[in-house]
Amino acid sequence: MNTAAPLRSRKAQIDRVATSLFRARGFAATSMRELATELGLEAGSLYSHIKSKEEILHRVCFGLAEEFFAAFAAATADTTAPIATQLRLAIEGHVRVLTRDSAASTVFLQEWRHLSEPARTDFLALRDRYEAAFRALVQQGIAAGELHAPDAAFVALTLLASLNWLPAWYRPDGKLTPDEIAHRLAEQLLGGLLVKD
Amino acid sequence: MNTAAPLRSRKAQIDRVATSLFRARGFAATSMRELATELGLEAGSLYSHIKSKEEILHRVCFGLAEEFFAAFAAATADTTAPIATQLRLAIEGHVRVLTRDSAASTVFLQEWRHLSEPARTDFLALRDRYEAAFRALVQQGIAAGELHAPDAAFVALTLLASLNWLPAWYRPDGKLTPDEIAHRLAEQLLGGLLVKD
DNA sequence: CCTACCGATCGGTAGG
DNA sequence: CCTACCGATCGGTAGG
């Protein structure tokens, strides 16, 4: 009778282990047999919990997209705050999502192209919307005279690129906490942009 | 008799087409049959020109590594130049290599992990050496009082991350030439670092 | 969750 | 450069 809870946690466990394998070997090079072995069961048994290999990838990619949007919305909720503050909060929020689960983040950043259509197109649309939101914030900052930069698109691209490199070198047991990293990244990346009084 | 030249160019052609497939689908998800079809021949025929699928990846990854080192060496050849100048030249050189062949660059940046040992370890050692060279340059700049930054390693990481995002959005037929992009990236990335007089 | 298995496809080779 | 093929492995399913 009490099967709902164990099933849910088993599925979550499959997602978690699969995600770490996808990061280590890539989605295409990870076999369901490898995943099953890591979980201590047979390959066929996986399919009583999931529908397909891609379903896992789909959940990881779209789940993280949702987290990024939620963090951005929270960072920019107070529209009366200075744009520089909103941008700083958005950077910190982005970093917080990236470091909360760096395996999932890496899969989100690198393995989305193994999604088949139409999921792949949908995913790219979400990513573009997110980048556009960052770009718009930078643009507002320039318009408000809080930031100086010749090209908001360039700024947004290099900003996100710098942040998205984080999962490649972040170690949870490193010297800096995620919040400290976020703070330093925000300082450094905004340092050259802020208009000095 | 005159077989050396055609064979050499056929091999180069295989590398080129394979590289673009590796970028589009990833190394693991690209099949030799797909590659053969794209080249207008049968899968088995590939092996009179190459030894293995991985051999192609190896050539691309290590070939590009060599190009990056050569560009860096040229940029820093004049050790009497200000560090800021050397750093600017190194950034421009890096961008020039990235844009000269953005398919190969993407493979270099994303697919190296499909190299088997010991090539994979060798490759990572090269990448670390390259990052260390950039880091050392930033450190020299700070020591010389030309740059101000709290952490050279942080600067080097975000610098290279910003540059390495370029192949993801660079279009050869875009508005900006590679040199213009390189110049703007250098300006923006060094803008916040340079000590104002 | 397992056993047993499916058809498809993989990288690569032999021999010409 | 092709034909014909190898053993291995793939994602996934049927039936229990």
Side-chain angles (χ1 to χ4, degrees):
Chain A
M1 297 294 177
N2 184 21
T3 55
L7 279 177
R8 239 200 328 271
S9 83
R10 195 49 153 165
K11 188 169 173 177
Q13 190 191 7
I14 291 173
D15 280 2
R16 201 170 43 75
V17 174
T19 298
S20 95
L21 284 173
F22 291 169
R23 161 157 76 170
R25 316 198 195 300
F27 176 78
T30 300
S31 77
M32 297 306 272
R33 278 155 183 84
E34 209 176 353
L35 172 58
T37 300
E38 199 102 345
L39 287 159
L41 38 81
E42 297 302 315
S45 307
L46 289 168
Y47 293 89
S48 40
H49 301 100
I50 60 163
K51 283 196 296 271
S52 69
K53 185 185 178 185
E54 184 173 339
E55 190 206 34
I56 304 174
L57 180 64
H58 190 282
R59 245 195 318 277
V60 173
C61 289
F62 284 83
L64 237 77
E66 220 168 289
E67 289 187 48
F68 281 117
F69 274 108
F72 188 88
T76 58
D78 178 7
T79 52
T80 66
I83 302 296
T85 301
Q86 293 183 44
L87 194 51
R88 197 181 304 270
L89 288 173
I91 288 173
E92 292 173 357
H94 189 89
V95 168
R96 213 166 294 119
V97 174
L98 282 178
T99 53
R100 186 155 46 209
D101 186 347
S102 68
S105 295
T106 303
V107 171
F108 169 88
L109 291 167
Q110 311 244 28
E111 305 297 329
W112 56 266
R113 62 176 155 172
H114 295 289
L115 291 168
S116 54
E117 297 297 350
R120 188 185 145 118
T121 296
D122 293 346
F123 178 85
L124 278 178
L126 281 178
R127 208 186 64 166
D128 285 349
R129 260 184 49 208
Y130 188 72
E131 286 178 9
F134 254 91
R135 192 164 49 240
L137 203 55
V138 173
Q139 203 113 48
Q140 281 177 58
I142 295 174
E146 291 186 46
L147 306 176
H148 69 95
D151 188 334
F154 241 69
V155 171
L157 277 174
T158 57
L159 204 71
L160 283 171
S162 302
L163 300 181
N164 287 339
W165 192 243
L166 182 56
W169 61 266
Y170 171 69
R171 295 286 166 271
D173 53 343
K175 286 177 303 189
L176 299 174
T177 67
D179 276 347
E180 285 168 345
I181 292 174
H183 188 255
R184 288 176 76 145
L185 277 172
E187 284 309 311
Q188 182 179 310
L189 295 171
L190 295 180
L193 299 175
L194 292 176
V195 171
K196 274 50 163 206
D197 315 284
Chain B
M1 299 293 175
N2 184 22
T3 55
L7 279 177
R8 237 198 331 268
S9 83
R10 195 48 153 166
K11 188 169 173 178
Q13 191 191 5
I14 291 173
D15 280 2
R16 201 171 42 76
V17 174
T19 299
S20 95
L21 284 172
F22 290 168
R23 161 157 78 169
R25 315 200 195 298
F27 175 79
T30 300
S31 77
M32 296 307 272
R33 279 156 183 82
E34 210 176 351
L35 172 58
T37 300
E38 198 103 344
L39 287 159
L41 40 80
E42 297 302 316
S45 308
L46 290 168
Y47 292 89
S48 41
H49 300 100
I50 59 163
K51 284 198 293 270
S52 69
K53 184 185 180 185
E54 184 175 338
E55 190 206 35
I56 304 174
L57 180 63
H58 191 282
R59 243 194 320 277
V60 172
C61 289
F62 285 83
L64 236 77
E66 221 168 290
E67 290 187 47
F68 281 117
F69 275 108
F72 188 87
T76 56
D78 179 6
T79 52
T80 66
I83 302 295
T85 301
Q86 293 183 44
L87 195 50
R88 196 181 305 270
L89 288 173
I91 289 172
E92 291 173 358
H94 190 90
V95 168
R96 213 167 294 120
V97 174
L98 282 178
T99 53
R100 186 154 48 209
D101 186 345
S102 68
S105 295
T106 304
V107 171
F108 169 89
L109 292 167
Q110 311 244 30
E111 305 298 328
W112 56 265
R113 63 176 156 172
H114 295 288
L115 291 168
S116 54
E117 297 297 352
R120 187 185 148 119
T121 297
D122 292 346
F123 178 86
L124 279 177
L126 282 178
R127 208 187 64 167
D128 285 349
R129 261 184 48 208
Y130 188 72
E131 286 179 9
F134 254 90
R135 191 163 52 239
L137 204 54
V138 172
Q139 203 114 46
Q140 281 177 59
I142 296 173
E146 292 185 45
L147 306 176
H148 68 94
D151 188 334
F154 241 69
V155 171
L157 277 174
T158 57
L159 204 71
L160 284 171
S162 303
L163 300 180
N164 287 339
W165 192 244
L166 183 55
W169 59 267
Y170 171 68
R171 295 286 167 268
D173 53 342
K175 286 177 301 187
L176 298 175
T177 67
D179 276 346
E180 286 168 345
I181 293 173
H183 189 255
R184 289 175 76 146
L185 277 173
E187 284 309 311
Q188 182 180 309
L189 295 171
L190 294 180
L193 299 176
L194 292 177
V195 171
K196 277 38 164 215
D197 314 285

